[in-house]
Amino acid sequence: MAGILDKFRLDGKVAWITGASYGLGLAYAVAFAEAGAKKIIFNDINQELVDRGMAAYKERGIDATGYVCDVTNEEQVNALVQDATDKFGGIDILVNNAGIIKRIPMIEMEKKQWDQVLNVDLTGPFLCSKAVLPQMIERRSGKIINACSMMSELGRETVSAYAAAKGGLKMLTKNICSEYGQYNIQCNAIGPGYIATPQTAPLREKQADGSMHPFDRFIRSKTPAQRWGETEDLEGLAVFLASPASDFINGQVVYIDGGILAYIGQDPSQLDASKFQDEATREDVVVADK
Ligand code: NAP
Ligand code: GCO
């Protein structure tokens, strides 16, 4: 008799995680494979990154196929979905993970820079979701998971384009739910807090004198857990949202932030920095050996 934990399995599923050569995308893919996914598909914008990703998956014994595909290029997106469907029978789970950020004061941001961020972070998920939805509708089953953010709820200096995109992605999540939930398709979002990945490495770099980056001190003072998240922290939620266990959850952004959104924060100057002094700055993501 199937037990409750079987509801969290992904046996026989084909999962496409965009931008998953490293970072959170790689962590999601590794977790999906461990939960039983039969095929991991990922893409990145150049062959070098795809090769890097393939090496990472091979090292972990994961059956992955990598594509050179820019999520802002509709022709490349549609070609990936067609090839993956021809070869692997279709895509059951889409994680719209690929994303960029540009930290520039808004009045100094050029339109081209704004457009780049909105294109990758919001139009990309639109194009990738639009490409997989027809087969999910036909199959009467599908999971779409979007990469939202603290900036889906909060603003901060220098991230206007990113916040606009991630706020829009929250509403795109709700709209895909609204329009396609009738076909047993669930579209939810993961809302990570501040996670140690290459994207946030500049915010954690030690200062020349070896002291904490001011933003590192700031974000720890805003986080009850007083730490940055690790990719491992997000794996369980990703598997949950990709699995039958979440079939009646739709249109939700699930925040996994160590408590940031619940907490007014403490005075950063009151933080006992000595507790964290020996923590190395994680330049890249090390997905725990499985
Ligand atoms: P990351 O380390 O910067 O990785 C992003 C990945 O997306 C990279 O592989 C990147 O490849 C790829 N990518 C960028 N533009 C692309 C495009 N046009 N087409 C295809 N792939 C593209 O980011 P991360 O920290 O893992 O974050 C992953 C997602 O979670 C992002 O959407 C991010 O906004 C979101 N998020 C991150 C955090 C955090 O604290 N880290 C928190 C909340 C939300 P390249 O190397 O070529 O750019
Ligand atoms: C920043 C960070 C954040 C995180 C994440 C928070 O500059 O504030 O990069 O945007 O990446 O999105 O949830």
Side-chain angles (χ1 to χ4, degrees):
M1 178 181 163
I4 181 66
L5 293 182
D6 293 314
K7 284 180 178 284
F8 294 83
R9 300 276 316 161
L10 305 180
D11 296 301
K13 300 297 184 184
V14 176
W16 173 27
I17 304 98
T18 67
S21 299
Y22 59 87
L24 293 180
L26 174 63
Y28 299 148
V30 170
F32 287 2
E34 191 170 334
K38 73 175 178 182
K39 186 71 185 180
I40 298 296
I41 294 163
F42 74 100
N43 65 293
D44 228 310
I45 56 178
N46 63 51
Q47 191 60 51
E48 180 188 352
L49 277 166
V50 170
D51 293 345
R52 171 179 169 184
M54 284 302 292
Y57 290 111
K58 186 176 180 184
E59 188 183 314
R60 291 164 177 81
I62 293 172
D63 180 13
T65 297
Y67 292 85
V68 176
C69 169
D70 179 340
V71 296
T72 68
N73 182 315
E74 188 166 26
E75 189 179 332
Q76 291 180 9
V77 166
N78 291 340
L80 180 155
V81 171
Q82 187 58 60
D83 187 74
T85 301
D86 293 344
K87 288 179 179 166
F88 312 117
I91 293 168
D92 302 294
I93 301 159
L94 166 63
V95 181
N96 285 308
N97 168 75
I100 62 171
I101 190 167
K102 291 186 185 300
R103 301 182 181 97
I104 304 166
M106 190 179 123
I107 59 175
E108 297 170 23
M109 181 176 276
E110 295 168 14
K111 180 179 182 299
K112 177 184 173 188
Q113 293 167 318
W114 168 275
D115 289 344
Q116 273 179 304
V117 174
L118 271 293
N119 239 348
V120 176
D121 294 8
L122 185 54
T123 304
F126 159 70
L127 293 175
C128 295
S129 302
K130 180 181 171 216
V132 301
L133 276 164
Q135 62 179 267
M136 290 183 172
I137 291 168
E138 190 176 330
R139 193 190 310 127
R140 293 296 189 276
S141 170
K143 296 281 187 180
I144 296 176
I145 302 168
N146 292 322
C148 281
S149 156
M150 294 290 95
M151 274 65 222
S152 298
E153 299 298 336
L154 305 170
R156 89 172 182 87
E157 300 80 1
T158 76
V159 295
S160 58
Y162 183 84
K166 294 300 186 180
L169 188 56
K170 175 173 75 168
M171 288 315 300
L172 180 62
T173 301
K174 292 174 185 251
N175 218 74
I176 292 171
C177 153
S178 305
E179 203 162 355
Y180 300 106
Q182 63 184 300
Y183 304 108
N184 186 33
I185 295 166
Q186 292 83 45
C187 180
N188 293 292
I190 294 176
Y194 280 79
I195 315 301
T197 73
Q199 193 236 48
T200 57
L203 303 174
R204 293 175 282 112
E205 283 169 2
K206 289 272 193 295
Q207 304 297 279
D209 63 2
S211 62
M212 284 172 83
H213 190 295
F215 193 89
D216 184 0
R217 177 185 285 271
F218 167 71
I219 212 59
R220 290 175 190 268
S221 72
K222 292 285 287 179
T223 310
Q226 291 192 351
R227 70 173 176 89
W228 289 74
E230 305 292 346
T231 56
E232 295 86 349
D233 289 317
L234 279 64
E235 293 169 357
L237 175 59
V239 168
F240 169 59
L241 291 178
S243 75
S246 62
D247 279 357
F248 203 54
I249 295 176
N250 217 342
Q252 299 299 314
V253 181
V254 184
Y255 290 99
I256 183 162
D257 64 357
I260 293 176
L261 288 179
Y263 180 41
I264 196 167
Q266 65 170 289
D267 176 351
S269 67
Q270 298 306 306
L271 200 70
D272 176 5
S274 65
K275 290 196 298 187
F276 322 111
Q277 203 56 43
D278 298 333
E279 280 185 28
T281 298
R282 294 177 53 136
E283 292 313 316
D284 198 345
V285 174
V286 176
V287 177
D289 288 339
K290 295 293 181 187

